[in-house]
Amino acid sequence: LTATPEVRDAMLAAIPSLRAFAISLTYNVDTADDLVQEAILRAWANIDRFQPGTNLNAWLFTILRNGFYSRYRKARREVGDPDGTFASRLVTIPEQGARCDFEDLRTALAKLSVEHREALILIGAEALSYEEAAQVCGVAVGTIKSRVHRARERLGQLLAIHGVEDLGPDRMTQAALQSAF
Amino acid sequence: MLAFDDDDPDAAIWLDTDQPRCGTLPHLSEPKLAQAVRDRIGRNLRAMYGDLLREPVPDCILDQITHLDRRGRGTIH
């Protein structure tokens, strides 16, 4: 089996997203790369099932997610970042003194259920439509909406953000302030 | 720390307590985060995820695709 050059190129272009999604699921870069490679193999072997014109990323996410759950569903497994591998790979400097900075967000994300986290990532970070995310996760659209809602609420609780008064200045504000003085 | 709720992935769908119940829509009646808070969380989430997207793809993954592509075209066996 072979993919057309267009599909191959689209698959190559999708890899960063696929890796980011896998890391978000596993919080382990090596495991994430294994999942990505497995997903590529499966996608290549089943390329005739891909419908041109549909969202290739969503199709690949579905394959990767199935691999993730196949790998881990037998055991109650904890997913964490005990050695800080995930955190250390993120290079953005956190906001100083502000709630909801990146470090807090990473920690809070890790405390969400994997179902809530994947919904939030697919909608909030990958910008999939609710319909596409529902297809990826194999649930109803309403379930995805509910999970995103609950994930946001839970993040707010974990970050101890109840209202705008709990927010520190974000980076844009900080940059503006720093450039003003 | 995370733990899966159930050993059976199908059960996770059917027993999902996230499912809105007919006529109640509990998720809509709960207190909501302020829009500014949601915006900030969303912005930081996208920025954090953007860092991951910008990471270079490992060679092993690129090599895998090259290998699959060549094999499919019959240039290697």
Side-chain angles (χ1 to χ4, degrees), chain A residues 10 13 56 147 170 175 178:
Chain A
L56 179 69
R147 286 180 182 177
D170 64 16
Q178 284 166 5

Side-chain angles (χ1 to χ4, degrees), chain A residues 5-113:
Chain A
E6 291 77 19
V7 171
R8 180 200 60 208
D9 292 346
M11 209 177 280
L12 276 169
I15 288 174
S17 288
L18 213 52
R19 282 192 82 228
F21 181 53
I23 292 171
S24 302
L25 286 178
T26 62
Y27 268 46
N28 181 293
V29 175
D30 293 332
T31 306
D33 284 342
D34 287 346
L35 283 173
V36 169
Q37 290 191 286
E38 286 174 17
I40 290 169
L41 271 177
R42 285 188 184 144
W44 211 278
N46 294 283
I47 200 67
D48 53 326
R49 295 188 186 178
F50 173 67
Q51 297 178 330
T54 59
N55 188 331
L56 179 69
N57 279 26
W59 185 63
L60 292 172
F61 286 151
T62 305
I63 294 171
L64 185 139
R65 183 183 177 277
N66 288 343
F68 171 72
Y69 280 97
S70 296
R71 205 182 249 232
Y72 293 108
R73 70 187 176 193
K74 297 292 182 189
R76 289 174 180 272
R77 223 172 256 254
E78 292 181 335
V79 180
D81 188 26
D83 58 359
T85 305
F86 173 70
S88 67
R89 294 176 72 93
L90 299 170
V91 297
T92 304
I93 299 168
E95 303 163 19
Q96 294 296 317
R99 295 279 185 92
C100 191
D101 64 16
F102 285 0
E103 197 56 47
D104 289 343
L105 183 57
R106 276 193 290 272
T107 305
L109 275 172
K111 291 178 179 173
L112 296 182
S113 72

Side-chain angles (χ1 to χ4, degrees), chain A residues 8 37 78 89 92 100 109-110 112 116-117 124 126 143 146-147 149-150 152-153 164 168 170, chain B residues 1-2 4 16 18-19 27 31-33 36-38 40 43-44 46 48-49 51 55 64-65 69:
Chain A
R8 180 200 60 208
Q37 290 191 286
E78 292 181 335
R89 294 176 72 93
T92 304
C100 191
L109 275 172
L112 296 182
H116 286 184
R117 192 158 34 127
E126 274 294 338
T143 303
S146 172
R147 286 180 182 177
H149 173 82
R150 289 179 186 279
R152 283 188 183 128
E153 294 293 322
V164 290
D170 64 16
Chain B
M1 303 290 274
L2 299 169
F4 295 127
D16 191 351
D18 290 337
Q19 294 274 11
H27 64 295
K32 290 183 177 177
L33 288 176
V37 174
R38 294 175 55 177
R40 171 71 74 82
R43 230 174 17 244
N44 280 357
R46 285 190 292 276
M48 195 180 80
Y49 200 73
D51 281 347
E55 281 205 3
Q64 181 193 26
I65 290 189
D69 194 35

Side-chain angles (χ1 to χ4, degrees), chain A residues 136-180:
Chain A
V136 168
C137 298
V139 297
V141 172
T143 303
I144 285 294
K145 289 182 178 177
S146 172
R147 286 180 182 177
V148 170
H149 173 82
R150 289 179 186 279
R152 283 188 183 128
E153 294 293 322
R154 182 74 181 127
L155 274 183
Q157 290 173 0
L158 290 167
L159 294 165
I161 299 173
H162 306 292
V164 290
E165 65 278 5
D166 292 323
L167 291 175
D170 64 16
R171 278 189 300 168
M172 287 177 66
T173 308
Q174 281 191 322
L177 287 171
Q178 284 166 5
S179 64

